[in-house]
Amino acid sequence: MLHPKIQQLLVEQEYYLTRPNRPTSFYNGIYTRWSHPVLTRRHAPLIWKYDFDMAANPNAQERLGINAVFNSGALYKDGHYYLVARVESNDRKSFFAVAESASPVQGFRFWNYPVALPDVNTDADTVCCPETNVYDMRLTAHEDGWIYGIFCSESKACSPGVSLSDACAAAGIVRTKDLRIWERLPNLKTVSPQQRNVVLHPEFVDGEYAFFTRPQNGFIDAGGLCYGSCADITKPEITEEKLVSPRCYHTITESKNGAGAVPIKTDRGWIHIAHGVRNTAAGLRYVLYAFATDLREPWRVIAKPGGFFLAPYGRERVGDVSNVAFCNGAAVNERGEVAIYYASADTRLHVATTTLDLLVDYVFNTPPDALRSTDCVKQRNEMIAENLTILSRENAAQ
């Protein structure tokens, strides 16, 4: 017999999970925003949080709480959408869990068990302690037949003289065929001492596994979005990193930037959805931006619209880490429909829907950042003048 409060919570959660999602009135012609997040802490199954044994838990108290559900890798497969979300518990540790739905915008339910991620072997001479936390998995359905998950493997720094809060970031690698059984591979090795926000390209490039990396000298300081490759994914080591998308003064990438979703293939090029960070009086502001790279040379940028692609909007601005939009997953179905999963304020997960055609239009036809206020005004005035001419002709014809 279940505690009456548990029974009530199960009914309430079912109502929450089955409520319909509707488009908002927001419009920019590029994507559609939706009224409700697709994953929140309220989506976490009650069996994850409460001990249902009335003898052990007579007051139906929450034993293992969930604080947030956010940054998620995404995959479309066999008519279903799969999200491997970052679930943060009340104790601050994150873990991965798979949520599934036949719809890209609603109806996601977590599988019964979180991902049982295999532990990683650490080298004896490492400057980092054993892995403490894992988060922000990117899912790549690779042409070699495996589904890879690349995520941040965080450890406490163990070098002499470090503070309690000093940490090390590495790119962890797992692979699977079914999202249930995961094989752990060695962490990615690069020339730079630390890595976060690493994405595995979905196709071989010159016979090698290609990665988009974010070199870091420390846990926070980052040096731009880069590209590198290795011959053997089971011995992943990159010896050279090419700069693809640099940081730039007084832009949305001034403080740092990094890869987001796995690159999306179109007939014009690979479309990347990345994140850019700038500092403000209220702290760091995270937004998404987009650019395209060459189909054969995916490190070579061929189009880059100015400004942000998506930024925190309305209630999305508020949460555990306010003013943050972050994406590490997008899914494309056989009709060319694209679901972009983005988190807000490190608290919840949303979706923006678009199409391949709309993304191509945006990336290749939106003007680049003019970089200076004077030139930005010239750029805008040119469009205004053209629009006034069109309006004048339209009025004359009436």
Side-chain angles (χ1 to χ4, degrees), residues 342-395:
Y342 67 98
S344 69
D346 280 12
T347 300
R348 60 195 80 82
L349 188 72
H350 308 264
V351 66
T353 54
T354 184
T355 66
L356 291 177
D357 288 343
L358 289 175
L359 283 178
V360 167
D361 185 1
Y362 168 75
V363 171
F364 285 91
N365 295 318
T366 302
D369 193 326
L371 299 179
R372 299 176 63 247
S373 294
T374 299
D375 294 329
C376 288
V377 172
K378 290 178 181 177
Q379 185 185 64
R380 192 175 298 270
N381 282 346
E382 289 175 0
M383 186 174 72
I384 292 171
E386 292 176 2
N387 286 339
L388 289 173
T389 300
I390 293 171
L391 285 174
S392 178
R393 287 200 303 262
E394 189 76 13
N395 292 333

Side-chain angles (χ1 to χ4, degrees), residues 22 51 72 119 140 204 253 262 266 272 289 298 332 336 369 380:
R22 296 181 176 86
D51 185 345
S72 179
D119 210 346
T140 300
F204 288 112
T253 62
V262 173
T266 73
H272 300 248
Y289 71 101
V332 184
D369 193 326
R380 192 175 298 270

Side-chain angles (χ1 to χ4, degrees), residues 32 37 87 100 128 142 207 224 229 234 254 263 291 322 338 360 396:
T32 298
V87 182
E100 178 183 357
C128 296
H142 199 274
S229 64
T234 65
E254 182 179 295
F291 62 94
S322 294
V338 184
V360 167

